[in-house]
Amino acid sequence: MTFRQFAYRNVTRNKRTYAAYFFSSAFSVMIFFVCALFIFNPNVKEGVIASIAVQAMMAAECIMYVFSFLFVLYSVSSFLKTRKREFGILIMHGMTKGQLNRMVFLENMIIGLGSIMTGILGGLLTGKLFLMVGSSFLGIPSMPLYVSWQVLALTVSSFVLLFLIISICTSVLTRTNKLIELFQAGQKPKSDPRSSVFLSILAAVLLIAAYYLAATATVATVYVRMLPVTAMTITGSYFFYTQLSVHMIKILKKRRPFFLRRTNIVMISSLAYRLKDNARMFFMVTVISTVSFCSVGVFTSINTLSKQFREDYPAAVGYLAKDGSRVEQQHLMEIREELSAKGIPYESFTLPIKYADAVSSTPGSTAKQLHLISFSDYRKAVNMAGFTFREQTLTGSQALVMIASQRDKAYLTERGMTEYTLKENNLVIREKGYTEHVAVPDYLLADLDEDLNITDFDEDIDGTFSGLVVSDQLFDLIAAPAKIDRYTGFYVHDFEQTMGIAGHLAKDGAVRYDMSKPYAITISGTLQEVQSGLYSIMLFVALLIGTVFFIAAGSFLYFRLYADLDYDRRQFATIAKIGLTDPELTKIVTRQLALLFFVPIGFAGVHSVFAFIALQKFFFLSIASEMGVVLVSFFIAQIFYFFFIRNRYLRNLKKALVNGGLR
């Protein structure tokens, strides 16, 4: 038998232990491969959606590659710790440190190359299905399966490099302790798990504080609290597993009637060691699962925005001609001709937008120029859009702040009412509330509150509003505005029919007001198509990454469980001698596994719920149903995973007990 054959047989003999690690690695390779199939598919046409889809897939490739590196590194280091006794036997029979390192290197490369081949084969088998699903998410015709040399080269070179680096690192870092220590590895009696009262309290305080800050965050403070809350949650989770959980087990042990009841003494005593030994693994599973839940949940919830699209774009085509524009009539005529050519019946309405300079404003806002429309025009625009109008007529100096989107309603509590004095005639304008409907879409007007603090983080953020609706009397008194723009809305029954209309004016459905053009325009049909495509591809990528993370999290539990199988076999064999029955063994194992499987997932679920509560601040509509579906879906998947692992583990444990002649 050659040295290579020896390394190969080492892997095949331990296939049960390596199974989860192998298949998780192969699954990561497969997802990486099918993403590359999408990126290098020649049928991916040019365009905004396709371009962003390719960028999203490339980002997914990078995330999965980095995660795969960390996953493989942790997995290999865990396996090496469980093989110390085996290493001791090999060294006792004359194996040198160099040969040991070479053996570890070869074993890792065998598993790695096997994972790469299996992953690519799985990718070839599922690639067509992946492209069909991806095309469906993007709303484009299904793409044929096309395997280019770039796809194979990228996948093979990336993962060969990954396994090569990790194999070199692990073989170099393999410690050859004294023989006696290697032989005693796993045999030494474990010391009683210890915990620090201070760190246990710190864990509870950090988690409670993080949950409180997340639950009480407002749309203006959620950005500020995001990083501290994340850091507190991660730190609190780590100390929860390493300190607080052990402390809680100790408290349970002190409740003697409960501790001594039936098989609780076995389950609880063993659980304390398991929690302490696997604290870092549980911590990683919790973090990874939380990231999976949140990433999928966030992008699922973003689709909520599409539900209010019709209210955000009341006119199927909105056209704003800037003051002095010479192309207004030509563009409007072209739009009318296109609508007529497609047989789309429409009604149009034009309203003026006056820009008035303000000499002062109180309190807070430093708006210098106000965008004003009259109340009559606002009411007519709302009626033309088919919405029910319920707002009271404005009089005198009263004004309503125009929302640019239904999303702006989440920011209403963050903004106080302002009073302005106009430069032209010292007229006073007093804000008294907000419009119920969007009259002019967001892209077509400059922001009213450009200096609002919440805009410091992102210029495209919501909550900046777009102007004021003033009483008809006040609007008429502004005789010498700084400039006058004209907004024309084309209203149709089914705005989806307008997709592609005025494509020569706005290829992707919108020209923003701040672009250096004499006009701004929105085409609802095209915008909805682009928006839904972007949301779908983001959700699709999040699902891919979330699935990889979720399977990896389950794999951590799986191979860690099988790493402890020998210890469990000895433990239950000893208890069996004093009368442990099969039903009692099944009950103890089931309860222990349930706790090990569902505590990290449940903990991740709690983290995610508070993250979603904070996220809800950005949405006017409730995202509870979308979040609930995501969490329940993951939970159901975990239940299936639990029963699959439980049945295999129980079968292996009972088989080992029977073969050992101990039952």
Side-chain angles (χ1 to χ4, degrees):
M1 183 170 62
T2 64
F3 196 80
R4 292 190 185 88
Q5 290 173 328
F6 176 68
Y8 172 76
R9 292 181 181 179
N10 267 345
V11 173
T12 55
R13 278 195 295 266
N14 290 300
K15 57 181 178 295
R16 185 192 63 198
T17 306
Y18 286 124
Y21 164 56
F22 174 81
F23 285 112
S24 295
S25 300
F27 185 78
S28 299
V29 174
M30 185 184 78
I31 297 297
F32 189 94
F33 179 79
V34 294
C35 286
L37 281 178
F38 185 94
I39 294 170
F40 291 103
N41 196 303
N43 292 280
V44 176
K45 306 295 184 184
E46 293 184 356
V48 174
I49 296 177
S51 173
I52 292 179
V54 170
Q55 292 177 25
M57 288 293 179
M58 293 176 69
E61 296 270 63
C62 295
I63 293 171
M64 282 188 285
Y65 189 74
V66 172
F67 176 74
S68 297
F69 185 89
L70 298 174
F71 170 73
V72 173
L73 185 63
Y74 177 83
S75 304
V76 171
S77 62
S78 296
F79 290 138
L80 291 179
K81 290 178 182 175
T82 64
R83 298 178 62 192
K84 287 186 176 180
R85 183 179 174 81
E86 180 186 341
F87 292 162
I89 294 173
L90 294 174
I91 291 172
M92 188 179 71
H93 284 80
M95 179 176 277
T96 63
K97 183 179 179 183
Q99 289 175 322
L100 182 66
N101 290 338
R102 186 182 167 201
M103 183 192 74
V104 172
F105 175 82
L106 287 174
E107 289 178 4
N108 287 336
M109 289 307 297
I110 289 170
I111 297 173
L113 293 175
S115 302
I116 293 170
M117 287 189 288
T118 306
I120 291 177
L121 180 62
L124 289 172
L125 293 175
T126 59
K128 178 60 180 175
L129 177 63
F130 174 84
L131 292 175
M132 289 174 62
V133 174
S135 303
S136 175
F137 267 82
L138 288 173
I140 61 176
S142 179
M143 291 180 287
L145 180 64
Y146 177 79
V147 185
S148 64
W149 67 268
Q150 293 100 325
V151 176
L152 290 170
L154 178 65
T155 306
V156 173
S157 60
S158 298
F159 280 90
V160 165
L161 180 65
L162 184 151
F163 284 106
L164 188 64
I165 293 174
I166 290 178
S167 299
I168 293 173
C169 292
T170 51
S171 60
V172 170
L173 295 175
T174 303
R175 294 181 180 178
T176 52
N177 306 52
K178 294 179 181 178
L179 274 179
I180 186 64
E181 294 178 356
L182 293 173
F183 280 119
Q184 288 181 342
Q187 301 284 341
K188 291 181 180 178
K190 295 181 179 179
S191 57
D192 190 33
R194 295 181 179 179
S195 62
S196 163
V197 175
F198 171 74
L199 293 178
S200 299
I201 295 174
L202 179 63
V205 169
L206 285 173
L207 290 174
I208 292 172
Y211 292 159
Y212 174 78
L213 290 174
T216 59
T218 64
V219 71
T221 60
V222 70
Y223 286 104
V224 179
R225 296 185 182 186
M226 187 179 298
L227 287 179
V229 167
T230 303
M232 291 165 67
T233 305
I234 291 175
T235 308
S237 300
Y238 179 78
F239 286 130
F240 172 82
Y241 287 117
T242 57
Q243 306 295 330
L244 183 57
S245 62
V246 178
H247 197 69
M248 293 167 67
I249 295 291
K250 286 184 176 178
I251 293 175
L252 279 180
K253 282 184 176 180
K254 291 179 180 177
R255 298 181 61 185
R256 306 302 288 179
F258 174 78
F259 182 59
L260 298 176
R261 186 187 306 166
R262 298 180 182 275
T263 56
N264 284 354
I265 187 171
V266 178
M267 188 186 73
I268 294 174
S269 298
S270 176
L271 190 62
Y273 291 101
R274 282 187 181 277
L275 286 173
K276 188 69 176 179
D277 291 346
N278 301 317
R280 292 181 182 176
M281 186 268 292
F282 289 145
F283 167 70
M284 283 197 300
V285 171
T286 300
V287 173
I288 291 170
S289 300
T290 304
V291 173
S292 302
F293 297 165
C294 290
S295 59
V296 177
V298 164
F299 289 110
T300 303
S301 302
I302 284 178
N303 279 321
T304 300
L305 300 179
S306 63
K307 297 177 182 176
Q308 58 196 24
F309 189 89
R310 180 70 177 83
E311 296 181 0
D312 286 347
Y313 295 92
V317 178
Y319 181 91
L320 185 134
K322 294 181 181 177
D323 188 45
S325 171
R326 298 179 180 177
V327 294
E328 176 187 5
Q329 294 307 316
Q330 178 189 342
H331 287 168
L332 292 178
M333 182 180 67
E334 291 171 351
I335 294 170
R336 291 189 182 99
E337 288 176 351
E338 284 196 53
L339 290 172
S340 300
K342 288 194 173 187
I344 304 174
Y346 67 90
E347 293 181 331
S348 62
F349 170 61
T350 300
L351 63 87
I353 301 171
K354 291 182 179 179
Y355 289 75
D357 292 328
V359 291
S360 66
S361 57
T362 57
S365 174
T366 58
K368 301 297 183 185
Q369 198 168 66
L370 305 175
H371 331 136
L372 309 173
I373 69 172
S374 70
F375 185 80
S376 297
D377 287 338
Y378 166 65
R379 178 167 53 195
K380 188 168 184 180
V382 172
N383 289 332
M384 292 283 286
F387 300 136
T388 303
F389 192 84
R390 296 186 291 264
E391 295 162 74
Q392 293 183 349
T393 304
L394 297 176
T395 58
S397 61
Q398 294 178 336
L400 294 174
V401 181
M402 279 194 291
I403 59 171
S405 160
Q406 292 297 321
R407 300 187 300 276
D408 282 350
K409 290 184 177 179
Y411 294 80
L412 300 187
T413 56
E414 305 298 326
R415 185 183 185 281
M417 294 292 100
T418 306
E419 181 177 304
Y420 307 93
T421 302
L422 300 185
K423 181 179 179 180
E424 177 187 350
N425 45 18
N426 290 328
L427 284 173
V428 174
I429 299 177
R430 296 184 178 89
E431 295 176 355
K432 61 165 289 190
Y434 299 90
T435 59
E436 184 179 351
H437 301 283
V438 175
V440 180
D442 188 18
Y443 291 138
L444 303 186
L445 289 174
D447 295 332
L448 175 66
D449 292 328
E450 293 178 345
D451 60 319
L452 203 61
N453 290 336
I454 56 177
T455 66
D456 292 344
F457 298 91
D458 186 345
E459 62 179 3
D460 293 327
I461 198 171
D462 304 312
T464 51
F465 306 96
S466 61
L468 298 175
V469 176
V470 296
S471 65
D472 293 350
Q473 303 93 320
L474 196 152
F475 190 78
D476 293 336
L477 288 174
I478 303 172
K483 59 180 181 179
I484 300 178
D485 293 340
R486 281 177 300 282
Y487 167 74
T488 302
F490 293 85
Y491 301 89
V492 304
H493 178 69
D494 184 4
F495 69 86
E496 293 179 355
Q497 294 179 328
T498 60
M499 186 179 70
I501 291 285
H504 63 294
L505 297 178
K507 181 181 177 183
D508 299 320
V511 172
R512 298 173 63 102
Y513 187 86
D514 53 8
M515 293 180 177
S516 302
K517 292 193 175 184
Y519 67 92
I521 189 171
T522 58
I523 298 99
S524 299
T526 308
L527 273 177
Q528 190 192 38
E529 185 71 12
V530 172
Q531 189 183 79
S532 61
L534 295 179
Y535 291 165
S536 296
I537 192 61
M538 286 190 289
L539 175 61
F540 186 51
V541 171
L543 281 172
L544 285 178
I545 297 174
T547 304
V548 171
F549 281 20
F550 187 72
I551 289 179
S555 300
F556 279 130
L557 294 168
Y558 179 91
F559 65 68
R560 188 59 205 170
L561 199 61
Y562 274 84
D564 293 336
L565 183 60
D566 289 338
Y567 173 81
D568 290 344
R569 189 182 63 229
R570 291 196 301 272
Q571 180 195 26
F572 287 115
T574 303
I575 302 174
K577 291 177 181 177
I578 57 176
L580 183 72
T581 63
D582 270 353
E584 287 174 334
L585 171 65
T586 303
K587 185 177 179 181
I588 292 172
V589 171
T590 301
R591 287 185 176 181
Q592 284 186 343
L593 293 188
L595 286 170
L596 297 180
F597 261 78
F598 292 107
V599 165
I601 297 298
F603 209 30
V606 174
H607 289 349
S608 302
V609 166
F610 282 94
F612 295 155
I613 290 174
L615 182 65
Q616 176 65 67
K617 311 299 181 186
F618 290 109
F619 293 88
F620 174 65
L621 299 177
S622 173
I623 60 173
S625 59
E626 285 81 2
M627 297 301 180
V629 169
V630 170
L631 290 179
V632 170
S633 300
F634 275 108
F635 185 70
I636 292 173
Q638 187 70 7
I639 289 176
F640 281 110
Y641 204 2
F642 163 73
F643 280 108
F644 171 73
I645 299 299
R646 168 192 170 274
N647 292 338
R648 286 182 56 83
Y649 182 74
L650 265 176
R651 187 169 65 245
N652 284 319
L653 186 60
K654 291 179 179 179
K655 183 180 176 182
L657 291 173
V658 171
N659 291 339
L662 297 170
R663 291 184 66 81

